[in-house]
Amino acid sequence: MERIIRALEEGIKRELNLRTIVLPQRAEGATAAISLSFAGIEAAGEAADNHKVNAMEKVQFWATYSTGGTHMAWVNQAILDSRKLNRLNSDGKMEIVVKIDQDKTKRLYAVWSRLQEGSFIYSDDEEKPMPVAYNETYRVTVAYPASMIGG
């Protein structure tokens, strides 16, 4: 599973040029990032001959784009990032490459769907009303051969 998560991180870096934080760790600062948190795993069908080796699974993550700031350049960058995410949401998928071993890779697709439109979040502390944060939430699903992760 770690290989799939790493491939998803690389896909986010390549397609969106954003760093990825795999939760439950907590990042500091207001740099734009995608936070991934595990949302579940389930069967995704089997081959007609019902062999375990051909069984498919899918893993889901909540992906939250977040950034914070107080000035026009930050707002502009948030709009540009959101535009890239919107294209992913429209196209529906991001190709990711999972490294199997030194010479072998497997191409999979991370399917993105928006769960929550972007919103600004202001501090509850009246003495420190800034910076403001901006968040968008997506569900990301990756289907893969169950044999890839063993078990």
Side-chain angles (χ1 to χ4, degrees), residues 12-13 24 50 54 59 73 77 80-82 90 96 98 109 141 143:
I12 290 168
K13 178 66 176 164
N50 201 22
N54 294 325
V59 62
Q77 187 59 51
L80 294 174
D81 290 344
S82 183
S90 299
I96 62 174
V98 180
Y109 291 93
T141 304

Side-chain angles (χ1 to χ4, degrees), residues 41-66:
I41 190 168
E42 61 187 60
E46 295 177 338
D49 58 5
N50 201 22
H51 287 119
K52 281 187 176 182
V53 72
N54 294 325
M56 297 291 289
E57 288 181 332
K58 62 183 175 182
V59 62
Q60 293 186 347
F61 300 93
W62 304 133
T64 302
Y65 166 79
S66 59

Side-chain angles (χ1 to χ4, degrees), residues 75-93:
V75 171
N76 187 60
Q77 187 59 51
I79 290 168
L80 294 174
D81 290 344
S82 183
R83 190 176 183 197
K84 290 183 225 172
L85 284 160
N86 204 19
R87 277 195 299 266
L88 261 183
N89 185 52
S90 299
D91 295 345
K93 59 186 174 181

Side-chain angles (χ1 to χ4, degrees), residues 113-144:
S113 57
R114 180 178 279 183
L115 297 178
Q116 177 186 356
E117 291 185 5
S119 61
F120 289 97
I121 300 168
Y122 294 88
S123 171
D124 289 338
D125 187 348
E126 291 182 17
E127 292 181 24
K128 299 179 184 178
M130 294 293 177
V132 63
Y134 176 79
N135 288 348
E136 292 182 19
T137 305
Y138 294 81
R139 179 178 49 237
V140 180
T141 304
V142 180
Y144 56 89

